[in-house]
Every structure is written in structure tokens, then in C-alpha cells.
Amino acid sequence: MNLVSFVIPSYNEQENIIRLSNILTDILKKYKNIEVIIVDNGSTDKTSKILKKHKLFKKKKFKLKKIKKNLGYGHGIISGVNLASGKIIAWFHADLQTNPHDVVKIINKNSKILLNQKVLLSGKRINRSIFDSLFTNLMAKIINAVFKVDFNDINGQPKIFNKNFKKYLKDSPLDFSLDLFLLLIGHKNNYKIKQVPINWGQRYKGVAKGGGNIFGKIKLIMRTLNYIVKIKKKFNGNNNS
């Protein structure tokens, strides 16, 4: 497997960060060619302090990108992506709903196409609640109708792509619209969007930062609808990627 970069955004995840780091320790014992970049995205808790005490950090086995002020989910991820040196880049959250071991399996299975074809991998979350699945399907139907695409789980994790795709991420949104932007800009530039099933676990500890409850989902819907209008105008007014 070629060098792979894991970009893991973390915002106030002090309750999860030790468990995450221990899982990554197990992975790095087997795979020496994985680069780990954890982005502390403006946390107000002890996330960075805990990370700096972990043996992985002391052995310089991962990079810590500390952002002083949270400017948004998208800003945090792109800050990590910009540091990535791997030929394959994957981002997923620090809340452990995506198991890093599963990300490794997906990359191992799809490494050839990631290196040699224009393809984006996007996790399709399974084992979710009926309510969450209905919400995801509704948003996908709206987006598919507006942009004439065939996406399913827009916000599914992980997102995995070849390093060459980084050039398309220069004007990425700072918020949760990043997931949608990635898929749309990939489609616009003739990338195949391949959705891969991945088990979606329960958050280990802490609270969701995005659409974790009904109020969060309503806010996410409003932000997404606003972004749909914005990017539709941009795409219509600019035929260049």
C-alpha cells in the first residue's frame, strides 16, 4: 500500500481522543505507511493536551494541527488535507462512529483504482436509525433532482481520494457543506463517485457537532438548502472547474 494520509478532524473530543489514538496505535504497528493528521479544530476542552501526552505524539507518529478558532468543519478538514503528503487521502471524524480499521480495509480493497482512475470513495453508512436514514435519503433526493446526479449518503464517512484531487478543493466551503462540495466538484470533473458500505457505530462519548438531533438536523437542512442555491449559481455562471 502506498503512503496514505488519514485526516481526522476533532472538535471538543477529549472523551474520545485517547480511545481513537489507541486504535490508531494498533493500525500503525501493522501499517508503517499511514500518516495520521489530527486536526484540533478550535477545541475549548483538553483535546490537544491529551494528544500531546500520548505515546504516538511523543514518538512523532502523527501530526497535530492546532487551529485556535473554529471557523467550521470544512475549514478544519481542508487545513489537514493541505498538510497531507500521502498519495491517497482519507478523512473521517474523531468520534469513532467510523472505525479506522474499516477505513484501512476500504483503502486496501480499492487502492488500485484510487491510484489509477478518477474516482472518489464515499462511505455509505449502514446500521443507522430509520429516522437518520430517512433524513439522509430526503436530502439526497433534493440534491439529485437539482444537480441531475445520483448520490446517496452525502455526509457519509470516510471520504477517500487521490492526492491529485486536492487541486479542486481550493474554494471549498468552511462548514458542513464540504461533503456535498466534494461530490459535486468530483462529478463536475468527471470523477466516478463510488459509495462503499461502512458500518456506522454509536458515538463512543460526547455529543454530535452536526445533525445529531432534530434541531441539529433542521439547521443542517437550512444550511444545505442555502448552499445548494449558492453552488448552483456558481456552477451555472462558471463552466470552468
Side-chain angles (χ1 to χ4, degrees):
M1 187 166 67
N2 287 269
L3 182 63
V4 173
S5 296
F6 282 177
V7 176
I8 309 174
S10 175
Y11 177 65
N12 289 343
E13 294 287 0
Q14 65 178 19
E15 294 179 293
N16 294 317
I17 207 68
I18 293 179
R19 185 178 177 89
L20 170 66
S21 297
N22 290 338
I23 292 173
L24 292 171
T25 299
D26 291 337
I27 290 174
L28 292 176
K29 286 179 181 178
K30 183 177 181 180
Y31 297 97
K32 307 301 183 183
N33 52 347
I34 293 180
E35 169 188 66
V36 176
I37 302 169
I38 298 181
V39 181
D40 182 351
N41 199 14
S43 296
T44 57
D45 64 4
K46 297 179 180 179
T47 295
S48 283
K49 290 183 179 180
I50 294 171
L51 277 170
K52 289 179 179 179
K53 292 180 180 179
H54 196 276
K55 58 184 179 182
L56 271 184
F57 182 82
K58 292 181 178 179
K59 292 181 179 179
K60 298 182 179 179
K61 294 295 185 181
F62 65 63
K63 300 176 184 177
L64 170 61
K65 173 65 176 179
K66 172 65 176 174
I67 296 176
K68 291 184 179 181
K69 182 179 180 180
N70 188 308
L71 299 179
Y73 164 87
H75 175 262
I77 289 179
I78 296 302
S79 295
V81 168
N82 288 339
L83 293 177
S85 54
K87 290 187 176 181
I88 296 172
I89 301 171
W91 81 56
F92 54 94
H93 303 165
D95 59 12
L96 296 172
Q97 288 185 275
T98 300
N99 190 320
H101 285 288
D102 290 338
V103 179
V104 172
K105 291 177 184 177
I106 291 171
I107 293 174
N108 279 335
K109 186 176 181 179
N110 295 278
S111 60
K112 288 185 178 180
I113 64 170
L114 283 164
L115 292 170
N116 300 303
Q117 299 179 26
K118 295 180 69 172
V119 61
L120 291 173
L121 301 187
S122 181
K124 182 179 180 182
R125 296 168 289 184
I126 58 178
N127 298 328
R128 301 174 75 207
S129 70
I130 294 177
F131 174 70
D132 286 340
S133 297
L134 286 174
F135 168 78
T136 295
N137 291 336
L138 173 62
M139 293 307 301
K141 287 183 181 299
I142 294 172
I143 290 164
N144 291 343
V146 172
F147 294 100
K148 310 301 180 185
V149 292
D150 187 23
F151 300 155
N152 191 308
D153 190 352
I154 308 298
N155 297 109
Q157 303 293 315
K159 294 290 195 296
I160 309 173
F161 48 90
N162 187 288
K163 67 174 184 179
N164 294 330
F165 193 79
K166 290 169 68 172
K167 62 187 176 185
Y168 299 118
L169 300 176
K170 294 178 181 178
D171 297 321
S172 301
L174 301 182
D175 61 9
F176 281 94
S177 303
L178 176 62
D179 288 313
L180 174 58
F181 173 83
L182 180 86
L183 298 179
L184 289 174
I185 204 69
H187 177 78
K188 182 178 174 65
N189 287 281
N190 300 313
Y191 274 72
K192 178 183 178 181
I193 311 299
K194 181 179 179 180
Q195 296 199 289
V196 289
I198 188 165
N199 287 314
W200 192 245
Q202 294 293 320
R203 166 176 271 276
Y204 180 59
K205 288 185 179 180
V207 296
K209 312 303 190 300
N213 54 47
I214 184 62
F215 300 106
K217 282 181 168 51
I218 291 173
K219 289 175 66 176
L220 183 59
I221 288 172
M222 298 308 296
R223 286 198 303 262
T224 302
L225 292 177
N226 181 62
Y227 185 69
I228 287 172
V229 173
K230 182 179 178 181
I231 198 170
K232 182 67 174 178
K233 289 180 179 179
K234 179 179 179 179
F235 279 5
N236 287 343
N238 182 11
N239 290 324
N240 297 319
S241 56

